[in-house]
Amino acid sequence: SVGQPIECNAAVAYAPNKPLTIEKIIVEAPKVDEIRVKVLKSALCHTDAFTLSGEDNEWPASDFKPVILGHEAVGVIESVGPEVTDLSIGDHVIMLYTAECGECKFCIDNRTNLCIKVRSTQGKGVMPDGTTRFKNLKGEPIYHFMGCSAFSEYTVVSKHSAVKINKEFNLEQAALLGCGVATGFGAAGYKGIGAAKKGNQITKGSSVAVFGLGAVGCSVLEGAKAAGAKKIIAIDTNDNKEAWAKEFGATDFVNPLKLKEGENIVSKLVSMSDDGFGIDFTYDCTGNVNVMNDALMASARGTGISTVIGVAPAGAQISVRPFYLIVGRTWTGIAYGNIKGKSEMTELIQASDSGDLSLDKYVTHRREFTDINTAFEDLHSGDCLRTVFNY
Ligand code: AHE
Ligand code: ZN
Ligand code: ZN
């Protein structure tokens, strides 16, 4: 079928807050600088649910186009378009919603991973030439998502949006490296990559507070442990998360709903810091702007760094008294853990091989791809880190 359209199953989102429709679609052949991938494993990330809810700035309910979601995935290249030289048919690839072209202003800047080569068309759900490679059997275009669209048996992505990995690497764990766990682990900083590239590496003996214990939050905990942090405080409103927080390296667990009279999460965290000036590194992994404000305020006077990782609903804003910044706190944000997906994936795989990143612990549910709608329920069950789909 090289060069020919493929008919296959896909899970299509036709409207916000509606279940995905499992149906046959047509996947066109890859064009210049594109590859067609047979998806092998993918996982459901909260961001897929976020977009399906209509809260996504770039995919609002008011202008919801039919789309194939999914951005955390691994597959095998089925065919390549013209001018694709460093990827071949048969290669195993992890999809990269933050591409790495290696040549743009951001790719040649050591500090950031925010490649712009395909980002603008990606946000519109089309390939770089402005058109889609998907259509349904009525011939209507189906749009792409985050440059990946993994919730289809076959997908087409830019050659810049895929990184080749060793065929022996566990496929379920490879899929996870496509988003959540790379995002949190990179945000902690690891051996000079991720947040380290911005000077925000968690330091040995420091204190860390992580709000929100999903896959992202738990991988921040692992990063903090690998960095030698002394106090790693895991925060979540669900007490059941305490056990796995400890598994991932937390030294303390705090439930903000169970504080003493007159105490709030900021005063609680500040009181837990050694010197009473606040926590050295704090992270929001919830997407809730009130939590982001708390995370900033709980960070240490003079030297604290608070990082926004969670994705907030369209229009939501953060706000604190400017004085908190005047007295030395840094408020920052991060995308895909500031990991350059092509040139730094090896480090993440080595982190997994060395046990610093325990990928197997994040696979808490498995489902057949065609049962994907049930997986959205898993997300709300409170005991789910990742549901991995088998194709
Ligand atoms: N379209 C969304 C973007 C929200 C957002 O911040 N996305 C994250 C990835 S979430 C993955 O689970 C991100 O890294 N963004 C960087 C980028 O290039 O978009 C919105 O809210 O507008
Ligand atoms: Zn994600
Ligand atoms: Zn680039």
Side-chain angles (χ1 to χ4, degrees), residues 45 47 71-72 179 386:
C45 171
T47 299
H71 61 281
E72 190 171 296
C179 186
R386 277 296 188 263

Side-chain angles (χ1 to χ4, degrees), residues 43-48 71-72 97 146 178-180 183 216 311 386:
L44 180 62
C45 171
H46 263 107
T47 299
D48 298 306
H71 61 281
E72 190 171 296
Y97 65 81
M146 290 174 74
C179 186
T183 297
V216 174
V311 173
R386 277 296 188 263

Side-chain angles (χ1 to χ4, degrees), residues 209-228:
V210 179
F211 292 76
L213 302 178
V216 174
C218 290
S219 57
V220 178
L221 296 176
E222 285 212 283
K225 179 180 170 190

Side-chain angles (χ1 to χ4, degrees), residues 99-108 113-118 160 340:
E100 185 179 0
C101 75
E103 292 159 2
C104 74
K105 163 185 162 61
F106 300 90
C107 282
I108 61 174
N113 66 345
L114 288 171
C115 174
I116 45 162
K117 181 77 176 174
V118 301
H160 304 300
K340 289 179 183 276

Side-chain angles (χ1 to χ4, degrees), residues 59-289:
W59 217 268
S62 56
D63 174 27
F64 200 95
K65 300 170 290 196
V67 61
I68 294 172
L69 301 170
H71 61 281
E72 190 171 296
V74 66
V76 55
I77 297 179
E78 173 269 339
S79 62
V80 299
E83 292 164 45
V84 176
T85 50
D86 61 355
L87 290 170
S88 311
I89 292 175
D91 285 352
H92 284 193
V93 290
I94 294 174
M95 294 175 210
L96 299 173
Y97 65 81
T98 298
E100 185 179 0
C101 75
E103 292 159 2
C104 74
K105 163 185 162 61
F106 300 90
C107 282
I108 61 174
D109 187 324
N110 189 41
R111 294 169 299 171
T112 177
N113 66 345
L114 288 171
C115 174
I116 45 162
K117 181 77 176 174
V118 301
R119 185 60 185 82
S120 57
T121 45
Q122 175 173 314
K124 300 188 182 75
V126 292
M127 297 304 286
D129 71 351
T131 65
T132 76
R133 299 291 165 271
F134 303 127
K135 60 186 178 199
N136 63 19
L137 296 187
K138 289 184 225 153
E140 296 159 342
I142 305 287
Y143 288 84
H144 297 251
F145 178 64
M146 290 174 74
C148 300
S149 288
F151 295 159
S152 172
E153 288 173 340
Y154 287 85
T155 184
V156 173
V157 303
S158 161
K159 70 180 183 183
H160 304 300
S161 306
V163 57
K164 179 180 176 182
I165 58 164
N166 189 321
K167 281 200 177 59
E168 277 66 59
F169 195 70
N170 179 292
L171 289 170
E172 291 186 338
Q173 295 175 25
L176 298 187
L177 288 173
C179 186
V181 297
T183 297
F185 197 71
Y190 183 73
K191 297 198 172 154
I193 63 168
K197 307 277 274 296
K198 283 270 188 82
N200 296 338
Q201 166 71 51
I202 289 177
T203 50
K204 193 167 169 45
S206 64
S207 58
V208 176
V210 179
F211 292 76
L213 302 178
V216 174
C218 290
S219 57
V220 178
L221 296 176
E222 285 212 283
K225 179 180 170 190
K230 187 179 64 171
K231 186 175 284 253
I232 305 173
I233 305 164
I235 301 147
D236 201 288
T237 53
N238 177 348
D239 277 339
N240 300 335
K241 305 229 174 153
E242 174 164 9
W244 75 28
K246 299 287 173 68
E247 276 263 299
F248 287 108
T251 55
D252 301 79
F253 176 82
V254 176
N255 183 337
L257 304 181
K258 303 204 168 157
L259 299 174
K260 289 199 289 286
E261 196 48 41
E263 220 177 24
N264 61 50
I265 189 62
V266 174
S267 63
K268 173 70 179 168
L269 290 173
V270 171
S271 73
M272 291 174 76
S273 61
D274 286 351
D275 54 14
F277 285 110
I279 304 297
D280 298 315
F281 299 90
T282 69
Y283 300 85
D284 167 69
C285 306
T286 69
N288 176 320
V289 290

